[in-house]
Each structure stands twice: as structure tokens, then as C-alpha cells.
Amino acid sequence: MTAADAGTAVIVFAKAPQPGAVKTRLIPALGADGAAALHVRLVKHALETARKASLRQVELHCAPDASDPFFQFCAGHYGVTVKAQAGGDLGARMLAALTQALREHACVLLIGSDCPALTARHLRQAERALRDGVDAVFVPCEDGGYALIGLKRVESRLFDGIAWGGEHVMAETRARLATLGWRSRELETLWDVDRPEDYQRLLESDLLGNRRVEH
């Protein structure tokens, strides 16, 4: 079977839920254990969203590796393929994951777990955009980054030298897309959960249920 026959893959990027190593900007509000517990809920939500989109395959790409018991739980519970992320910064890791997946699939969508407002509908819209002829599709975030990147071909210039986590990620990406001459589309802008005010917004939104994290 060729890549063109193999449909669309969804890659979910996630870190191991180690207290003190995830959702660090929420630690003052939630504590290290509470921030890690929230991270677990967000990763589960992202995997549920990916599965609901009913696309060809869902892969969970894990950092620093796939050995954490939580990842093994996810593999069994959600029926996803679990892989270790490559080394390097976020751009290098995304580039490696997308390059490998595009050898096997016509289109690839890559998401993280920080944007619970991202739905299966967004994933299906992103796939349709790629099927309709664009080279790249994004879901921008209010903080200047993006919650989803979808590609049907890959180019390292979209990832090299980006200040990941900064407010200019999407703007810089737009400039690079223009330089490449690629056709791209952006879906509606959403919001991430990174800061205490984002956590309060999450509670008010009821996206994960309004149960507070204990800390």
C-alpha cells in the first residue's frame, strides 16, 4: 500500500506526567502533583479527541521516551500506537515525527495536549483542507503558537530556528510558508492551558468537567 492509499494519521505529542516536569507554570497554583494530574487529564482528552475524529491511525509520541507506565496505559486503553519522540528541540522532534509518518500516510496531523478546546471536528476540518489541496493547515492559538499542524509534505524550514513557546511562532511560520510558496489554511483560533488564568478558564469552560485538581 502506498502512502497515498494509507489515509491520515494523527500524532499526539505528550510528556511523561512527572511532577515538577510538566505544566510548570501552573505549579504555583496547583503544586507539582496537581500540575502533573492536570497534564494526565489533558493527554487523555487529546487522545479521546483524536480517536473521535475517526481518521486512519492515532500515534502517541512520548518524551523523554515511552517507558512511563502512563504511556503503556494509554496504549491499551485508547488502542493507540506508542512511540518515543526523537531528540532535539520541539521543532526537531516534530520534523522527525512528521517526516516518518508521511512516508506511510498521505496526510498527517500533529497535536499536543495543551488545547482541550480542540475537537474532533477541528481534526476532520484539517484533514479536509489537506484533501482539498492545501499543503499545510493550522489551528492557531491566542498565545501566538498553534495547537495543530497538518501537512501532506514536509520541509525543515518550517521548524528550524523557531523560538518555541514564544508569542511569534505562528507569525514566523506564516512567513516561512510564504517563502516556500506553499498553500496553507488556518482554522479558528483556540486557547491553550498554560497559566493560572488559563486553568480558571478551563474550569469555567467545563471542557474537562469542572472538577478541580486537588493539591
mmCIF file of all heavy atoms in Angstrom, residues 27-66:
data_model
loop_
_atom_site.group_PDB
_atom_site.id
_atom_site.type_symbol
_atom_site.label_atom_id
_atom_site.label_comp_id
_atom_site.label_asym_id
_atom_site.label_seq_id
_atom_site.Cartn_x
_atom_site.Cartn_y
_atom_site.Cartn_z
ATOM 1 N N ILE A 27 2.441 25.161 38.497
ATOM 2 C CA ILE A 27 2.863 24.607 39.787
ATOM 3 C C ILE A 27 2.591 25.563 40.948
ATOM 4 O O ILE A 27 2.133 25.123 42.015
ATOM 5 C CB ILE A 27 4.336 24.170 39.735
ATOM 6 C CG1 ILE A 27 4.469 22.912 38.855
ATOM 7 C CG2 ILE A 27 4.887 23.889 41.135
ATOM 8 C CD1 ILE A 27 5.893 22.450 38.620
ATOM 9 N N PRO A 28 2.824 26.884 40.804
ATOM 10 C CA PRO A 28 2.496 27.772 41.924
ATOM 11 C C PRO A 28 1.027 27.708 42.336
ATOM 12 O O PRO A 28 0.698 27.884 43.514
ATOM 13 C CB PRO A 28 2.863 29.161 41.391
ATOM 14 C CG PRO A 28 3.933 28.899 40.385
ATOM 15 C CD PRO A 28 3.521 27.609 39.720
ATOM 16 N N ALA A 29 0.141 27.458 41.391
ATOM 17 C CA ALA A 29 -1.287 27.413 41.691
ATOM 18 C C ALA A 29 -1.762 26.022 42.105
ATOM 19 O O ALA A 29 -2.615 25.887 42.984
ATOM 20 C CB ALA A 29 -2.092 27.874 40.471
ATOM 21 N N LEU A 30 -1.192 24.980 41.492
ATOM 22 C CA LEU A 30 -1.700 23.626 41.685
ATOM 23 C C LEU A 30 -0.758 22.717 42.457
ATOM 24 O O LEU A 30 -1.170 21.631 42.880
ATOM 25 C CB LEU A 30 -2.005 22.978 40.325
ATOM 26 C CG LEU A 30 -3.014 23.679 39.423
ATOM 27 C CD1 LEU A 30 -3.188 22.893 38.125
ATOM 28 C CD2 LEU A 30 -4.341 23.831 40.125
ATOM 29 N N GLY A 31 0.493 23.125 42.630
ATOM 30 C CA GLY A 31 1.504 22.232 43.170
ATOM 31 C C GLY A 31 2.014 21.307 42.078
ATOM 32 O O GLY A 31 1.366 21.124 41.034
ATOM 33 N N ALA A 32 3.168 20.703 42.315
ATOM 34 C CA ALA A 32 3.763 19.839 41.293
ATOM 35 C C ALA A 32 2.889 18.626 40.994
ATOM 36 O O ALA A 32 2.699 18.245 39.833
ATOM 37 C CB ALA A 32 5.158 19.395 41.733
ATOM 38 N N ASP A 33 2.332 18.004 42.037
ATOM 39 C CA ASP A 33 1.484 16.838 41.825
ATOM 40 C C ASP A 33 0.183 17.226 41.116
ATOM 41 O O ASP A 33 -0.298 16.503 40.242
ATOM 42 C CB ASP A 33 1.169 16.152 43.152
ATOM 43 C CG ASP A 33 2.372 15.429 43.737
ATOM 44 O OD1 ASP A 33 3.329 15.149 42.985
ATOM 45 O OD2 ASP A 33 2.356 15.156 44.953
ATOM 46 N N GLY A 34 -0.391 18.365 41.507
ATOM 47 C CA GLY A 34 -1.621 18.811 40.865
ATOM 48 C C GLY A 34 -1.423 19.145 39.403
ATOM 49 O O GLY A 34 -2.267 18.834 38.559
ATOM 50 N N ALA A 35 -0.293 19.788 39.093
ATOM 51 C CA ALA A 35 0.002 20.113 37.693
ATOM 52 C C ALA A 35 0.176 18.836 36.873
ATOM 53 O O ALA A 35 -0.279 18.757 35.724
ATOM 54 C CB ALA A 35 1.246 20.988 37.613
ATOM 55 N N ALA A 36 0.835 17.840 37.457
ATOM 56 C CA ALA A 36 1.015 16.564 36.751
ATOM 57 C C ALA A 36 -0.328 15.855 36.557
ATOM 58 O O ALA A 36 -0.574 15.252 35.502
ATOM 59 C CB ALA A 36 1.989 15.672 37.509
ATOM 60 N N ALA A 37 -1.202 15.930 37.554
ATOM 61 C CA ALA A 37 -2.528 15.313 37.432
ATOM 62 C C ALA A 37 -3.343 15.994 36.336
ATOM 63 O O ALA A 37 -4.054 15.323 35.572
ATOM 64 C CB ALA A 37 -3.262 15.391 38.769
ATOM 65 N N LEU A 38 -3.246 17.313 36.245
ATOM 66 C CA LEU A 38 -3.936 18.024 35.168
ATOM 67 C C LEU A 38 -3.374 17.600 33.808
ATOM 68 O O LEU A 38 -4.136 17.397 32.846
ATOM 69 C CB LEU A 38 -3.798 19.527 35.352
ATOM 70 C CG LEU A 38 -4.389 20.384 34.223
ATOM 71 C CD1 LEU A 38 -5.899 20.155 34.099
ATOM 72 C CD2 LEU A 38 -4.080 21.861 34.451
ATOM 73 N N HIS A 39 -2.068 17.460 33.720
ATOM 74 C CA HIS A 39 -1.431 17.023 32.476
ATOM 75 C C HIS A 39 -1.985 15.671 32.033
ATOM 76 O O HIS A 39 -2.279 15.472 30.847
ATOM 77 C CB HIS A 39 0.081 16.949 32.683
ATOM 78 C CG HIS A 39 0.834 16.436 31.495
ATOM 79 N ND1 HIS A 39 0.981 17.157 30.334
ATOM 80 C CD2 HIS A 39 1.482 15.258 31.285
ATOM 81 C CE1 HIS A 39 1.686 16.453 29.460
ATOM 82 N NE2 HIS A 39 1.995 15.303 30.010
ATOM 83 N N VAL A 40 -2.153 14.750 32.965
ATOM 84 C CA VAL A 40 -2.714 13.436 32.650
ATOM 85 C C VAL A 40 -4.109 13.591 32.052
ATOM 86 O O VAL A 40 -4.441 12.969 31.030
ATOM 87 C CB VAL A 40 -2.750 12.544 33.910
ATOM 88 C CG1 VAL A 40 -3.662 11.340 33.705
ATOM 89 C CG2 VAL A 40 -1.342 12.077 34.261
ATOM 90 N N ARG A 41 -4.933 14.423 32.660
ATOM 91 C CA ARG A 41 -6.291 14.632 32.157
ATOM 92 C C ARG A 41 -6.270 15.239 30.752
ATOM 93 O O ARG A 41 -7.071 14.871 29.892
ATOM 94 C CB ARG A 41 -7.073 15.520 33.119
ATOM 95 C CG ARG A 41 -7.398 14.832 34.437
ATOM 96 C CD ARG A 41 -7.967 15.796 35.460
ATOM 97 N NE ARG A 41 -9.244 16.367 35.043
ATOM 98 C CZ ARG A 41 -9.849 17.360 35.698
ATOM 99 N NH1 ARG A 41 -9.270 17.898 36.777
ATOM 100 N NH2 ARG A 41 -11.009 17.822 35.286
ATOM 101 N N LEU A 42 -5.350 16.163 30.525
ATOM 102 C CA LEU A 42 -5.260 16.805 29.213
ATOM 103 C C LEU A 42 -4.802 15.822 28.134
ATOM 104 O O LEU A 42 -5.313 15.837 27.011
ATOM 105 C CB LEU A 42 -4.308 17.999 29.287
ATOM 106 C CG LEU A 42 -4.827 19.220 30.053
ATOM 107 C CD1 LEU A 42 -3.687 20.207 30.312
ATOM 108 C CD2 LEU A 42 -5.964 19.904 29.307
ATOM 109 N N VAL A 43 -3.841 14.969 28.474
ATOM 110 C CA VAL A 43 -3.378 13.975 27.493
ATOM 111 C C VAL A 43 -4.502 12.990 27.163
ATOM 112 O O VAL A 43 -4.738 12.660 25.991
ATOM 113 C CB VAL A 43 -2.135 13.227 28.008
ATOM 114 C CG1 VAL A 43 -1.764 12.083 27.064
ATOM 115 C CG2 VAL A 43 -0.957 14.182 28.163
ATOM 116 N N LYS A 44 -5.217 12.537 28.180
ATOM 117 C CA LYS A 44 -6.342 11.635 27.935
ATOM 118 C C LYS A 44 -7.385 12.302 27.039
ATOM 119 O O LYS A 44 -7.926 11.669 26.115
ATOM 120 C CB LYS A 44 -6.984 11.216 29.263
ATOM 121 C CG LYS A 44 -6.140 10.267 30.101
ATOM 122 C CD LYS A 44 -6.861 9.943 31.398
ATOM 123 C CE LYS A 44 -6.099 8.932 32.235
ATOM 124 N NZ LYS A 44 -6.818 8.642 33.515
ATOM 125 N N HIS A 45 -7.663 13.561 27.301
ATOM 126 C CA HIS A 45 -8.643 14.292 26.497
ATOM 127 C C HIS A 45 -8.170 14.393 25.044
ATOM 128 O O HIS A 45 -8.975 14.217 24.105
ATOM 129 C CB HIS A 45 -8.854 15.685 27.093
ATOM 130 C CG HIS A 45 -9.882 16.500 26.369
ATOM 131 N ND1 HIS A 45 -11.235 16.330 26.572
ATOM 132 C CD2 HIS A 45 -9.763 17.480 25.443
ATOM 133 C CE1 HIS A 45 -11.905 17.180 25.804
ATOM 134 N NE2 HIS A 45 -11.030 17.882 25.106
ATOM 135 N N ALA A 46 -6.890 14.678 24.847
ATOM 136 C CA ALA A 46 -6.349 14.775 23.483
ATOM 137 C C ALA A 46 -6.466 13.444 22.746
ATOM 138 O O ALA A 46 -6.806 13.404 21.555
ATOM 139 C CB ALA A 46 -4.897 15.237 23.530
ATOM 140 N N LEU A 47 -6.193 12.347 23.442
ATOM 141 C CA LEU A 47 -6.304 11.030 22.807
ATOM 142 C C LEU A 47 -7.752 10.691 22.481
ATOM 143 O O LEU A 47 -8.050 10.127 21.421
ATOM 144 C CB LEU A 47 -5.689 9.962 23.714
ATOM 145 C CG LEU A 47 -4.165 10.022 23.845
ATOM 146 C CD1 LEU A 47 -3.688 9.085 24.944
ATOM 147 C CD2 LEU A 47 -3.482 9.675 22.519
ATOM 148 N N GLU A 48 -8.660 11.039 23.381
ATOM 149 C CA GLU A 48 -10.080 10.813 23.100
ATOM 150 C C GLU A 48 -10.519 11.613 21.869
ATOM 151 O O GLU A 48 -11.255 11.116 21.013
ATOM 152 C CB GLU A 48 -10.924 11.209 24.316
ATOM 153 C CG GLU A 48 -10.783 10.258 25.493
ATOM 154 C CD GLU A 48 -11.369 10.824 26.770
ATOM 155 O OE1 GLU A 48 -11.880 11.974 26.742
ATOM 156 O OE2 GLU A 48 -11.326 10.124 27.795
ATOM 157 N N THR A 49 -10.056 12.854 21.792
ATOM 158 C CA THR A 49 -10.384 13.701 20.652
ATOM 159 C C THR A 49 -9.855 13.088 19.356
ATOM 160 O O THR A 49 -10.562 13.031 18.341
ATOM 161 C CB THR A 49 -9.793 15.103 20.847
ATOM 162 O OG1 THR A 49 -10.394 15.714 21.987
ATOM 163 C CG2 THR A 49 -10.013 15.986 19.627
ATOM 164 N N ALA A 50 -8.605 12.637 19.392
ATOM 165 C CA ALA A 50 -8.003 12.033 18.199
ATOM 166 C C ALA A 50 -8.769 10.790 17.765
ATOM 167 O O ALA A 50 -9.003 10.581 16.561
ATOM 168 C CB ALA A 50 -6.540 11.706 18.472
ATOM 169 N N ARG A 51 -9.182 9.970 18.717
ATOM 170 C CA ARG A 51 -9.926 8.767 18.367
ATOM 171 C C ARG A 51 -11.296 9.099 17.786
ATOM 172 O O ARG A 51 -11.758 8.474 16.834
ATOM 173 C CB ARG A 51 -10.091 7.863 19.597
ATOM 174 C CG ARG A 51 -8.787 7.307 20.160
ATOM 175 C CD ARG A 51 -8.057 6.417 19.192
ATOM 176 N NE ARG A 51 -8.826 5.253 18.788
ATOM 177 C CZ ARG A 51 -8.453 4.387 17.845
ATOM 178 N NH1 ARG A 51 -7.321 4.575 17.200
ATOM 179 N NH2 ARG A 51 -9.204 3.364 17.541
ATOM 180 N N LYS A 52 -11.948 10.125 18.358
ATOM 181 C CA LYS A 52 -13.288 10.501 17.891
ATOM 182 C C LYS A 52 -13.271 11.018 16.454
ATOM 183 O O LYS A 52 -14.288 10.969 15.774
ATOM 184 C CB LYS A 52 -13.880 11.569 18.811
ATOM 185 C CG LYS A 52 -14.333 11.040 20.160
ATOM 186 C CD LYS A 52 -14.826 12.180 21.045
ATOM 187 C CE LYS A 52 -15.195 11.689 22.425
ATOM 188 N NZ LYS A 52 -15.569 12.822 23.320
ATOM 189 N N ALA A 53 -12.130 11.524 16.019
ATOM 190 C CA ALA A 53 -12.044 12.041 14.646
ATOM 191 C C ALA A 53 -12.166 10.932 13.610
ATOM 192 O O ALA A 53 -12.448 11.195 12.436
ATOM 193 C CB ALA A 53 -10.737 12.795 14.442
ATOM 194 N N SER A 54 -11.952 9.681 14.031
ATOM 195 C CA SER A 54 -12.134 8.510 13.164
ATOM 196 C C SER A 54 -11.273 8.584 11.903
ATOM 197 O O SER A 54 -11.732 8.277 10.789
ATOM 198 C CB SER A 54 -13.614 8.339 12.784
ATOM 199 O OG SER A 54 -14.407 8.161 13.929
ATOM 200 N N LEU A 55 -10.036 9.001 12.062
ATOM 201 C CA LEU A 55 -9.099 9.004 10.950
ATOM 202 C C LEU A 55 -8.329 7.687 10.951
ATOM 203 O O LEU A 55 -8.612 6.780 11.722
ATOM 204 C CB LEU A 55 -8.193 10.229 11.044
ATOM 205 C CG LEU A 55 -8.973 11.561 11.011
ATOM 206 C CD1 LEU A 55 -8.042 12.744 11.173
ATOM 207 C CD2 LEU A 55 -9.793 11.703 9.731
ATOM 208 N N ARG A 56 -7.331 7.576 10.087
ATOM 209 C CA ARG A 56 -6.748 6.255 9.825
ATOM 210 C C ARG A 56 -6.031 5.658 11.042
ATOM 211 O O ARG A 56 -6.226 4.505 11.405
ATOM 212 C CB ARG A 56 -5.763 6.372 8.653
ATOM 213 C CG ARG A 56 -5.110 5.060 8.238
ATOM 214 C CD ARG A 56 -6.049 4.248 7.391
ATOM 215 N NE ARG A 56 -5.475 2.981 6.978
ATOM 216 C CZ ARG A 56 -5.873 2.324 5.899
ATOM 217 N NH1 ARG A 56 -6.805 2.818 5.135
ATOM 218 N NH2 ARG A 56 -5.341 1.163 5.593
ATOM 219 N N GLN A 57 -5.184 6.443 11.679
ATOM 220 C CA GLN A 57 -4.341 5.911 12.751
ATOM 221 C C GLN A 57 -4.048 7.011 13.748
ATOM 222 O O GLN A 57 -3.911 8.178 13.385
ATOM 223 C CB GLN A 57 -3.021 5.376 12.168
ATOM 224 C CG GLN A 57 -2.067 4.810 13.209
ATOM 225 C CD GLN A 57 -0.868 4.129 12.566
ATOM 226 O OE1 GLN A 57 -0.962 3.591 11.461
ATOM 227 N NE2 GLN A 57 0.268 4.152 13.236
ATOM 228 N N VAL A 58 -3.940 6.642 15.021
ATOM 229 C CA VAL A 58 -3.541 7.577 16.070
ATOM 230 C C VAL A 58 -2.258 7.064 16.709
ATOM 231 O O VAL A 58 -2.170 5.896 17.091
ATOM 232 C CB VAL A 58 -4.636 7.739 17.144
ATOM 233 C CG1 VAL A 58 -4.169 8.700 18.243
ATOM 234 C CG2 VAL A 58 -5.939 8.237 16.525
ATOM 235 N N GLU A 59 -1.269 7.950 16.786
ATOM 236 C CA GLU A 59 0.006 7.612 17.407
ATOM 237 C C GLU A 59 0.252 8.559 18.579
ATOM 238 O O GLU A 59 0.038 9.767 18.462
ATOM 239 C CB GLU A 59 1.158 7.756 16.402
ATOM 240 C CG GLU A 59 1.037 6.855 15.187
ATOM 241 C CD GLU A 59 2.183 7.041 14.207
ATOM 242 O OE1 GLU A 59 3.047 7.914 14.457
ATOM 243 O OE2 GLU A 59 2.216 6.328 13.184
ATOM 244 N N LEU A 60 0.722 8.024 19.685
ATOM 245 C CA LEU A 60 1.138 8.818 20.841
ATOM 246 C C LEU A 60 2.659 8.846 20.862
ATOM 247 O O LEU A 60 3.302 7.802 21.017
ATOM 248 C CB LEU A 60 0.599 8.202 22.129
ATOM 249 C CG LEU A 60 1.020 8.864 23.442
ATOM 250 C CD1 LEU A 60 0.563 10.314 23.504
ATOM 251 C CD2 LEU A 60 0.478 8.076 24.640
ATOM 252 N N HIS A 61 3.229 10.018 20.678
ATOM 253 C CA HIS A 61 4.686 10.177 20.659
ATOM 254 C C HIS A 61 5.134 10.766 21.992
ATOM 255 O O HIS A 61 4.699 11.862 22.371
ATOM 256 C CB HIS A 61 5.101 11.081 19.496
ATOM 257 C CG HIS A 61 4.987 10.419 18.162
ATOM 258 N ND1 HIS A 61 5.946 10.549 17.177
ATOM 259 C CD2 HIS A 61 4.045 9.601 17.637
ATOM 260 C CE1 HIS A 61 5.589 9.848 16.108
ATOM 261 N NE2 HIS A 61 4.434 9.275 16.372
ATOM 262 N N CYS A 62 5.985 10.024 22.675
ATOM 263 C CA CYS A 62 6.245 10.248 24.091
ATOM 264 C C CYS A 62 7.634 10.828 24.343
ATOM 265 O O CYS A 62 8.597 10.497 23.656
ATOM 266 C CB CYS A 62 6.145 8.919 24.838
ATOM 267 S SG CYS A 62 4.647 7.979 24.445
ATOM 268 N N ALA A 63 7.723 11.667 25.360
ATOM 269 C CA ALA A 63 9.000 12.236 25.792
ATOM 270 C C ALA A 63 9.129 12.077 27.308
ATOM 271 O O ALA A 63 8.140 12.212 28.031
ATOM 272 C CB ALA A 63 9.084 13.709 25.399
ATOM 273 N N PRO A 64 10.329 11.771 27.835
ATOM 274 C CA PRO A 64 11.561 11.625 27.055
ATOM 275 C C PRO A 64 11.670 10.292 26.304
ATOM 276 O O PRO A 64 12.477 10.138 25.400
ATOM 277 C CB PRO A 64 12.655 11.711 28.122
ATOM 278 C CG PRO A 64 11.991 11.192 29.366
ATOM 279 C CD PRO A 64 10.561 11.654 29.285
ATOM 280 N N ASP A 65 10.840 9.308 26.691
ATOM 281 C CA ASP A 65 10.770 8.030 25.989
ATOM 282 C C ASP A 65 9.400 7.435 26.290
ATOM 283 O O ASP A 65 8.555 8.082 26.909
ATOM 284 C CB ASP A 65 11.924 7.087 26.402
ATOM 285 C CG ASP A 65 11.988 6.869 27.901
ATOM 286 O OD1 ASP A 65 10.937 6.610 28.520
ATOM 287 O OD2 ASP A 65 13.093 6.961 28.472
ATOM 288 N N ALA A 66 9.185 6.209 25.860
ATOM 289 C CA ALA A 66 7.856 5.603 26.000
ATOM 290 C C ALA A 66 7.736 4.662 27.190
ATOM 291 O O ALA A 66 6.780 3.891 27.277
ATOM 292 C CB ALA A 66 7.508 4.857 24.715
#
